[in-house]
């Protein structure tokens, strides 16, 4: 059977390098699910079949893991995934209003994929940052203490293809597929951010040096 998801030599090499990280091949299951998700924007049945073959386990075992964790999307997903936590701490700090605000801003169908294909909205359980509730994630990057205005600003910028405000910690993946590549361990956003920062800093030093001379 021809590979449908890991269809290119590059993807096959990445899958092989993920498997090689672990003493037991089945331990590569979650990163391979992220890799499959980075290709199609969700985990498809073809992807699960290919992973099962690669790891010599059953498709049912792959599906059991993929369907358990909410980070894996089992159906079509927009360019950006917007998660709103509505667990207790966030609920007490206005999460229900934020969720309603997100639904209104994104429009009908947003819990699947919005008509323009840009968003999927997901109501999430605790995101592990209760002390900064309410919390919203964009492509798995946390925004803390989010207000209605901030949420609308993030949505507006993403919809317009502009850079949204920076998340509360770490860099923001450019889209859901990139976030999945990062979680598969085949892309390092921190490295690209720090090399961009080094280049900017070097350019600034050079230009300052030129001015002084
Ligand atoms: S309840 Fe929302 S981050 Fe914990």
């Amino acid at each position: 059977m021809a590979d449908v998801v890991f269809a290119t030599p590059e993807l096959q090499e990445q899958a092989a390098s993920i498997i090689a990280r672990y003493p037991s091949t089945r331990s590569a299951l979650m990163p391979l699910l992220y890799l499959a998700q980075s290709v199609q924007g969700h985990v498809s049945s073809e992807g699960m079949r290919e992973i099962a073959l690669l790891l010599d386990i059953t498709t049912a075992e792959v599906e059991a893991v993929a369907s358990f964790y909410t980070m894996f999307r089992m159906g079509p997903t927009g360019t950006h995934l917007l998660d709103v936590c509505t667990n207790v701490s966030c609920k007490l700090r206005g999460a229900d209003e934020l969720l309603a605000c997100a639904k209104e801003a994104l429009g009908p169908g947003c819990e699947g994929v919005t008509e323009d294909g840009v968003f999927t909205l997901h109501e999430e359980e605790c995101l592990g940052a209760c002390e900064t509730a309410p919390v919203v994630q964009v492509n798995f990057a946390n925004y803390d203490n989010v207000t209605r205005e901030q949420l609308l600003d993030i949505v507006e910028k993403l919809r317009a293809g502009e850079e949204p405000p920076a998340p509360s910690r770490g860099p923001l993946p450019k889209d859901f597929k990139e976030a999945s590549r990062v979680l598969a361990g085949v892309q390092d956003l921190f490295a690209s951010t720090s090399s961009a920062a080094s280049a900017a800093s070097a350019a600034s030093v050079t230009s300052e040096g030129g001015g002084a001379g």
Side-chain angles (χ1 to χ4, degrees):
M1 183 187 71
D3 288 336
V4 176
V5 180
F6 301 135
T8 65
E10 187 188 8
L11 282 165
Q12 285 159 10
E13 270 169 36
Q14 287 172 342
S17 76
I18 288 171
I19 294 169
R21 284 185 213 149
Y22 301 96
S24 164
T25 51
R26 64 188 301 134
S27 303
L29 176 51
M30 288 182 68
L32 285 179
L33 283 166
Y34 281 122
L35 186 64
Q37 182 163 267
S38 78
V39 179
Q40 294 186 303
H42 68 282
V43 178
S44 66
S45 47
E46 295 83 17
M48 289 189 280
R49 263 197 300 276
E50 286 174 34
I51 291 170
L53 284 172
L54 283 170
L55 300 182
D56 197 21
I57 58 179
T58 65
T59 308
E61 286 174 291
V62 178
E63 193 170 349
V65 172
S67 59
F68 180 79
Y69 292 101
T70 58
M71 304 89 75
F72 299 119
R73 299 277 314 163
M74 305 300 282
T77 301
T79 308
H80 302 290
L81 176 67
L82 190 68
D83 284 304
V84 178
C85 173
T86 55
N87 213 309
V88 179
S89 301
C90 289
K91 195 176 274 290
L92 290 171
R93 306 249 310 154
D96 288 340
E97 290 74 17
L98 275 185
L99 184 65
C101 169
K103 281 184 184 169
E104 193 185 337
L106 299 181
C110 59
E111 282 152 302
V113 181
T114 52
E115 265 173 28
D116 57 9
V118 177
F119 293 104
T120 290
L121 175 65
H122 180 240
E123 183 177 353
E124 189 53 280
E125 295 298 328
C126 182
L127 292 166
C130 312
E131 74 281 10
T132 57
V135 180
V136 169
Q137 275 188 343
V138 176
N139 303 323
F140 301 133
N142 275 29
Y143 287 81
D144 299 338
N145 298 307
V146 177
T147 63
R148 195 173 186 281
E149 291 66 34
Q150 286 167 333
L151 178 65
L152 290 173
D153 185 39
I154 291 168
V155 167
E156 207 173 290
K157 296 264 176 25
L158 289 173
R159 184 178 277 140
E162 294 170 9
E163 188 78 24
S168 303
R169 285 172 293 283
L172 177 68
K174 78 172 168 25
D175 54 31
F176 180 60
K177 287 183 177 177
E178 183 172 86
S180 300
R181 273 197 297 282
V182 172
L183 290 166
V186 296
Q187 184 174 342
D188 183 353
L189 275 191
F190 284 92
S192 49
T193 307
S194 72
S195 53
S198 311
S201 152
S204 135
V205 168
T206 310
S207 101
E208 279 167 23

